[in-house]
């Protein structure tokens, strides 16, 4: 079931939380859950939960609530997670390697097809089963195995240059872990930023706010 | 200058972007910038920029705009970044080690006082200058050097248990990198979640939405 009409970025940012909860409940053997229980666990109101889920055609049954497996599958479909996406890692340094080894790509339907790095010691080898190429081979790899998402995990000084290269190769999406705002020229690439420092600064703000006498 | 009245979470989430931009501009030798230019670079409207900054007592001067250094300092003070915060890393595996070596803690006024891990080969040694302790020493370390923020970078199956231990030790804030919702009992700990998968799922949603014919 596709969404009808525009959905707010805040609603979209909550979808992975619902999916994660349904997966946990499923693993624990639950088959139904009420909007009230979802709300309690996720720290929301029941009406907000119902409002979010109704937008995607998920309605709880009176007295039973939501079917756990059904809700999970529907939200995964809404997010495009039912489809396999090819991922490439640009930058196989410390962060790139950590992702390659610890991020649960495969079980979430992401297929890591390649990593790119200028480190001569890595090129031509494989990291956790993923072949490593020189960045100049990006177009060639993309031509053979179309890349849907390029993870940008290079150092800050190379971030903008690499982003432009990804844009030029017409890869549709960048997952940006570099803490650099990419400022791409066109509007053709979808960019999601995961700024580590922004997240830590946000936490520090709330900590500062909670200080007695501040 | 402290903020007056409640500030939305969205505004707070934009503050690090303003700070980062001011730092970049300062490095490039700029001393003033208009709300219009800030808006253009960050992909916002000028009125939204002025509205955000006015809340924190930063007003641009007619014809000159904002003083770059002044705005940066003010926003850093608002976020509590003028104060040093003691940080501990719970979990010195791959993610914890990457953070210890690559996250610019020190230059952002975070002092990493300790790392905790059950790996016997690490305990008693130091990682990038940070001493590693067994998690059972958390209370003792915290008693000597009060920890403001505990980074949670343990494996998913240990996340909830470690979070409860941090809560029990009365450490005021957790930066949660585990992709697990912690569900702490009390409301005493401030938690900021940085869920890698949520961010990737969000990107996938927008990619799905952009597919032709979808």
């Amino acid at each position: 079931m596709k969404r009808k009409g525009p959905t707010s970025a805040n609603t979209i940012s909550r979808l992975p939380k619902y999916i994660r909860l349904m997966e946990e409940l499923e693993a624990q053997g639950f088959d139904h859950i009420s909007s009230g229980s979802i709300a309690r666990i996720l720290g929301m109101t029941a009406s907000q939960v119902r409002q979010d889920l109704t937008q995607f055609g998920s309605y709880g049954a009176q007295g039973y609530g939501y079917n756990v497996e059904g809700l999970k599958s529907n939200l995964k479909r809404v997010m495009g997670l039912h489809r396999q996406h090819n991922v490439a890692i640009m930058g196989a340094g410390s962060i790139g390697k950590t992702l390659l080894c610890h991020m649960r790509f495969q079980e979430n339907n992401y297929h890591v097809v390649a990593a790119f790095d200028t480190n001569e010691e890595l090129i031509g080898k494989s990291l956790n089963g993923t072949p490593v190429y020189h960045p100049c081979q990006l177009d060639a790899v993309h031509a053979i195995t179309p890349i849907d998402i390029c993870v940008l995990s290079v150092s800050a000084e190379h971030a903008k240059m690499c982003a432009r290269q990804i844009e030029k190769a017409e890869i549709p999406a960048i997952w940006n872990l570099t803490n650099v705002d990419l400022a791409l020229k066109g509007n053709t690439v979808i960019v999601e930023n995961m700024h580590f420092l922004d997240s830590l600064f946000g936490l520090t703000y709330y900590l500062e706010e909670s200080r007695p006498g501040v």
Side-chain angles (χ1 to χ4, degrees), chain A:
Chain A
M1 168 73 73
K2 292 294 300 175
R3 67 191 182 79
K4 301 183 181 80
T7 308
S8 79
N10 283 340
T11 300
I12 294 157
S13 73
R14 284 191 292 271
L15 294 185
K17 296 185 210 309
Y18 293 123
I19 293 174
R20 199 161 51 236
L21 177 59
M22 293 311 122
E23 284 179 336
E24 271 188 38
L25 291 170
E26 210 180 6
Q28 289 164 29
F30 290 95
D31 56 5
H32 281 81
I33 185 166
S34 68
S35 54
S37 300
I38 296 176
R40 226 177 3 260
I41 297 169
L42 298 183
M44 302 164 61
T45 67
S47 95
Q48 193 180 23
V49 169
R50 285 192 298 269
Q51 206 181 337
D52 278 354
L53 300 181
T54 302
Q55 289 182 61
F56 303 104
S58 278
Y59 305 91
Q62 189 70 37
Y64 288 93
Y66 298 90
N67 176 285
V68 168
E69 200 282 326
L71 181 54
K72 182 197 76 177
S73 302
N74 185 34
L75 295 183
K76 282 197 153 188
R77 209 159 41 236
V78 166
M79 297 206 85
L81 302 175
H82 60 305
R83 213 188 289 284
Q84 182 173 280
H85 290 92
N86 286 340
V87 169
I89 313 259
M90 177 64 83
S94 182
I95 295 173
K97 263 187 218 153
T98 300
L99 285 176
L100 265 169
C101 300
H102 294 275
M103 182 96 181
R104 291 171 289 127
F105 284 114
Q106 198 60 52
E107 63 184 272
N108 287 290
N109 227 354
Y110 297 96
H111 179 43
V112 184
V113 297
F116 297 91
D117 204 286
T118 53
N119 182 346
E120 297 287 349
E121 286 176 23
L122 295 175
I123 296 165
K125 305 224 171 95
S126 96
L127 276 175
N128 206 28
T130 303
V132 184
Y133 303 93
H134 190 279
C136 71
Q137 295 171 279
L138 181 66
D139 282 294
V141 171
H142 184 45
I144 295 165
T145 316
I147 298 162
D148 299 303
I149 297 171
C150 197
V151 180
L152 193 61
S153 48
V154 296
S155 60
E157 64 264 40
H158 297 116
K160 287 182 186 180
M161 191 193 66
C162 289
R164 278 194 293 272
Q165 196 196 347
I166 296 165
E167 185 182 35
K168 227 175 129 193
E170 299 186 357
I171 292 168
I174 295 177
W175 191 33
N176 175 24
L177 308 184
T178 64
N179 221 48
V180 171
D181 291 311
L182 299 179
L184 291 169
K185 277 170 194 155
N187 285 315
T188 53
V189 189
I190 302 164
V191 179
E192 168 84 13
N193 299 302
M194 206 178 69
H195 287 318
F196 288 68
L197 275 175
D198 287 15
S199 174
L200 182 58
F201 285 1
L203 177 62
T204 310
Y205 174 89
Y206 291 108
L207 186 62
E208 176 75 5
E209 200 184 41
S210 74
R211 288 168 63 92
V214 170

